[in-house]
Amino acid sequence: MAAMEDPRKSVNGLPPPISTVSSPLCLPVGSNPTGAMLSGDIKNGAGKKAPGLVPRWVMPDAQDTIQPLKPVVKDYAWGIRGPDSRVARFALESGSISEIDPSAPYAELWLGTHPAGPTMLEDGRTLEEAVGEPLPFLFKVLSAGKALSIQAHPDKLMAQKLHQDNPEKYKDATHKPELAIALTPFEAMCGFRRIEEISVFLRKHPEFAACVSPDAKLQVFMAQDEETERFALRELFSSFMHCDPAISTEQLSIMLDRLRQEATAAYRHPHDEPPWERKAARAILRLAQQFPGDPGAMAPLFLNYLLIAPGESFFMAANEPHAYVAGEIIECMAQSDNVVRAGLTGKFKDVDNLVNMLSYTMGGPYIDAGAPSPTEAILRYTPPVPEFEVMIITVQPGERLTLPDLEVPAIFTTIEGAGFATTSNQEQSSNGEDTSQYSKLNQGRSFYLPPSAPPLRLMVGLSQRGPMKIALAHKNLHLDKPTSPLSGMHHESEVMSQSPYNISTRSPTHSGDEYINTVVRISLHLTTSQKCMRKMHARATVTTPICGHTRRRTCTLPHSTTRHRTLRTSLSFISVSAHRVRVNAPRSTRALALALSFVFARTYRSSGGTHAHTTSTKPAAPTPFALDRSR
């Protein structure tokens, strides 16, 4: 029999290094049809039977213990195929499928009470029957092998109208705000680009300009304030989406030929073309290969193209355009499946409704790395909507963790590692051993946590090679403390000066911690004090205390043909032991707005060795910055 850990025995208050289960009653994970937890003959590390433990079945009380779930698998064509898909592996572990088909796409794993994919308990009941009412949210694991459609989700009023007018395509009258948390590096197109960036692309790509009407292009070039920019953006998007398919398809073919020639041309210096322009060109080639002949492949020219790291998240409010491109995420949303599509899909396209419903705000979404709640082992991702929030809980080997009492229905799934969980109050035998009944948490297993259950207790054995991570979703209990702003835009802190050359700030310091990694994201706004007929460059520099090591990133600002135009850009980078962050602005600017967020990897040393634990810190209020006029 394979070795596994017995969570009930303890050594210095922690699980033993290793225990052996030899009971003939033990069954493989997922083979217990009743949903009961099994307790067998437990042997300790010396091979002797642990006292006070006898073979028995323990039937849990459905009202106060976690209950295994069987999620629903969706095999959309864009899913990752075969065992490479996290959705496929999770579905196999949870018993939703009996085997993985190497040729089949596994796109989404649904956990919730939505009628299109109701989750089942192992005793045959639906999750809605166990809860007593529909859950206000839908929890998903998503594995994207290629791009999803260009889409947006309606607000409540628009959802009701769509459901009333076309109930066959829009099956419910609920809005669908959603939160995405990356499990792997994840690519997505989210929100409209700044009007200055779009104007650059209209000049650089004549094929894109040929798909837009002259009036719409004129509005883009003449926009001067927020109102005219939104109007210009609406006119441009509407003109592009309503372009004659014959024209847009022909222009896309011409653009692809040109981009392929440029990609295979002689070496070009990186400064000849800004990184965001190169990324857009590569994205167009990639999307055109996945969707031949679809003009939606030009979407990177007017939508922000993002790459977020594991553990980072973004919130998409209603009426915001987006298209996930590749990677795996956890997704939580209001209980709805309303999607208004317009491109990169063979499904029903509703261009008119999409054009009319969008908010036409500009700029990418706010990237959230989670807020400690209450400790750094529990990261809280709270959107500004009441239906849901998500917690990512990390338990290191040899640790125990008790979650706060939620008092609302919750769903959780193990996304990494393995461990044990229980909701029973800690019971001890006469010799001080923990005799509580634990459920084994393997990667991919999902559970329902009833609202009347005691606080969930998690633990990982000392012999585990890595931490266990679970993702837990429930109704939003911190609506007054969102970690993502409603608008999805970066918070900014203005620093005014007549002629600023750079702004600098030091990383927050914590006594006793050693920082070995820092992720810095900078949102930079500049106001020109003169006409800028050429491109300007803004450089961010991170200096470190180790051998004076320096990392730099340079971003290019678009042209400005008038004075007092606001130019916006953003950049991010990773630096070893970041000690000081400095942003150099061009001489022709007179105002800066800057937002910084830090993600630290901390190193802890103990007698058992050294291990790293990644946490995030994000100031509750905008960080104050000091002007540094040195060059």
Side-chain angles (χ1 to χ4, degrees):
M1 179 67 74
M4 68 178 292
E5 305 224 0
D6 174 19
R8 295 168 297 182
K9 289 186 58 89
S10 61
V11 177
N12 296 327
L14 295 176
I18 191 166
S19 300
T20 306
V21 179
S22 59
S23 169
L25 294 178
C26 289
L27 300 174
V29 174
S31 61
N32 176 12
T34 66
M37 290 178 287
L38 181 63
S39 175
D41 288 340
I42 307 297
K43 292 185 178 181
N44 57 25
K48 296 180 180 180
K49 186 179 295 186
L53 300 176
V54 295
R56 67 189 187 276
W57 286 98
V58 181
M59 294 301 297
D61 185 350
Q63 299 300 319
D64 60 8
T65 189
I66 59 176
Q67 302 171 51
L69 297 175
K70 288 187 176 180
V72 176
V73 181
K74 299 293 184 179
D75 58 350
Y76 304 133
W78 47 261
I80 297 176
R81 298 182 180 273
D84 291 338
S85 171
R86 196 177 300 254
V87 167
R89 300 194 300 271
F90 283 18
L92 182 65
E93 179 65 36
S94 61
S96 298
I97 58 176
S98 58
E99 62 179 359
I100 298 177
D101 183 353
S103 62
Y106 295 89
E108 292 182 350
L109 199 72
W110 285 24
L111 290 159
T113 58
H114 195 281
T119 299
M120 305 295 294
L121 276 67
E122 290 190 346
D123 60 7
R125 293 181 298 159
T126 64
L127 179 59
E128 183 172 351
E129 292 173 342
V131 177
E133 61 182 354
L135 290 174
F137 62 88
L138 179 61
F139 198 33
K140 295 182 181 180
V141 179
L142 185 148
S143 297
K146 65 177 185 177
L148 282 68
S149 59
I150 300 172
Q151 59 185 255
H153 306 300
D155 57 24
K156 291 183 178 180
L157 293 178
M158 189 65 179
Q160 294 171 1
K161 179 179 182 300
L162 292 174
H163 178 64
Q164 182 178 2
D165 295 344
N166 193 348
E168 181 180 353
K169 299 297 182 182
Y170 304 101
K171 300 184 182 298
D172 59 71
T174 308
H175 70 155
K176 191 184 176 184
E178 59 187 28
L179 175 73
I181 306 174
L183 298 175
T184 65
F186 188 72
E187 299 174 66
M189 293 184 289
C190 299
F192 285 108
R193 290 184 180 272
R194 299 287 181 183
I195 203 74
E196 295 88 355
E197 297 177 11
I198 296 176
S199 64
V200 170
F201 281 133
L202 285 172
R203 295 185 181 97
K204 182 175 181 179
H205 300 285
E207 303 88 355
F208 174 47
C211 299
V212 179
S213 68
D215 289 342
K217 287 183 285 189
L218 183 62
Q219 294 292 339
V220 169
F221 294 134
M222 296 296 292
Q224 295 185 353
D225 52 37
E226 183 177 354
E227 182 178 356
T228 57
E229 285 180 351
R230 288 198 180 194
F231 178 77
L233 191 56
R234 178 190 176 98
E235 292 296 304
L236 177 135
F237 184 70
S238 176
S239 176
F240 179 82
M241 299 308 299
H242 288 98
C243 180
D244 186 342
I247 296 176
S248 58
T249 302
E250 179 185 3
Q251 294 299 323
L252 175 63
S253 178
I254 297 173
M255 176 184 289
L256 295 176
D257 291 339
R258 178 174 58 82
L259 293 180
R260 292 189 186 104
Q261 291 178 1
E262 293 177 356
T264 58
Y267 172 77
R268 301 175 62 187
H269 194 278
H271 290 173
D272 292 342
E273 186 179 32
W276 58 277
E277 294 184 17
R278 292 197 301 270
K279 291 177 182 178
R282 290 197 295 264
I284 293 171
L285 293 173
R286 181 178 179 182
L287 294 174
Q289 185 178 16
Q290 295 177 359
F291 299 92
D294 192 327
M298 296 187 198
L301 300 179
F302 53 83
L303 296 181
N304 297 288
Y305 198 92
L306 307 178
L307 173 62
I308 65 173
E312 296 179 337
S313 73
F314 59 87
F315 171 71
M316 293 305 302
N319 303 328
E320 296 293 342
H322 59 281
Y324 299 159
V325 178
E328 295 181 297
I329 59 172
I330 297 169
E331 195 176 28
C332 197
M333 63 199 69
Q335 185 178 245
S336 173
D337 198 31
N338 282 330
V339 181
V340 184
R341 303 178 179 88
L344 299 180
T345 182
K347 298 181 180 180
F348 170 68
K349 298 179 183 179
D350 196 349
V351 175
D352 291 337
N353 276 321
L354 184 67
V355 169
N356 293 329
M357 65 185 271
L358 295 181
S359 62
Y360 295 100
T361 57
M362 289 168 285
Y366 178 84
I367 305 300
D368 177 25
S373 178
T375 68
E376 295 168 350
I378 305 175
L379 293 179
R380 174 172 57 85
Y381 299 82
T382 303
V385 293
E387 286 85 0
F388 61 89
E389 69 177 335
V390 178
M391 292 191 295
I392 301 295
I393 299 105
T394 302
V395 185
Q396 299 292 339
E399 292 184 354
R400 297 172 184 262
L401 179 64
T402 300
L403 300 185
D405 193 2
L406 298 176
E407 298 183 349
V408 292
I411 295 173
F412 69 90
T413 185
T414 309
I415 58 177
E416 182 180 321
F420 299 91
T422 184
T423 54
S424 61
N425 294 320
Q426 185 165 332
E427 303 172 2
Q428 292 186 347
S429 62
S430 57
N431 60 355
E433 295 172 350
D434 184 2
T435 59
S436 303
Q437 302 304 318
Y438 283 77
S439 295
K440 187 71 168 66
L441 303 184
N442 288 332
Q443 186 183 39
R445 295 211 73 190
S446 302
F447 295 84
Y448 164 55
L449 178 63
S452 58
L456 183 66
R457 291 192 289 139
L458 304 170
M459 62 186 306
V460 176
L462 284 172
S463 62
Q464 188 74 25
R465 299 293 294 272
M468 176 183 70
K469 291 185 179 181
I470 69 171
L472 186 146
H474 56 78
K475 181 181 178 180
N476 196 336
L477 301 177
H478 302 87
L479 188 58
D480 59 332
K481 300 177 182 178
T483 60
S484 297
L486 179 61
S487 64
M489 300 301 297
H490 292 278
H491 290 300
E492 294 158 2
S493 173
E494 292 192 3
V495 181
M496 304 297 295
S497 173
Q498 292 301 319
S499 57
Y501 292 117
N502 57 65
I503 288 179
S504 62
T505 181
R506 291 181 181 270
S507 305
T509 57
H510 298 268
S511 176
D513 293 334
E514 178 185 351
Y515 298 138
I516 60 173
N517 232 340
T518 303
V519 179
V520 183
R521 297 181 196 86
I522 300 175
S523 175
L524 179 63
H525 290 201
L526 303 100
T527 301
T528 62
S529 56
Q530 62 185 38
K531 294 183 179 180
C532 303
M533 302 307 296
R534 59 181 180 83
K535 294 182 180 180
M536 298 189 299
H537 299 278
R539 171 170 294 179
T541 304
V542 170
T543 60
T544 67
I546 302 177
C547 302
H549 183 66
T550 301
R551 299 286 293 275
R552 293 184 176 90
R553 279 290 175 87
T554 300
C555 56
T556 302
L557 304 170
H559 299 277
S560 176
T561 57
T562 61
R563 298 180 61 182
H564 308 302
R565 290 290 301 278
T566 299
L567 310 178
R568 302 176 178 92
T569 188
S570 62
L571 48 92
S572 63
F573 49 87
I574 297 176
S575 176
V576 178
S577 297
H579 180 65
R580 185 178 180 88
V581 179
R582 172 175 294 175
V583 177
N584 297 325
R587 287 179 174 271
S588 56
T589 60
R590 66 182 179 91
L592 289 175
L594 190 61
L596 297 178
S597 62
F598 301 92
V599 180
F600 299 106
R602 299 180 177 178
T603 299
Y604 299 93
R605 289 184 172 84
S606 61
S607 58
T610 301
H611 65 275
H613 176 58
T614 301
T615 62
S616 67
T617 60
K618 181 162 57 66
T623 307
F625 302 102
L627 283 174
D628 185 349
R629 296 180 179 276
S630 61
R631 290 302 302 268

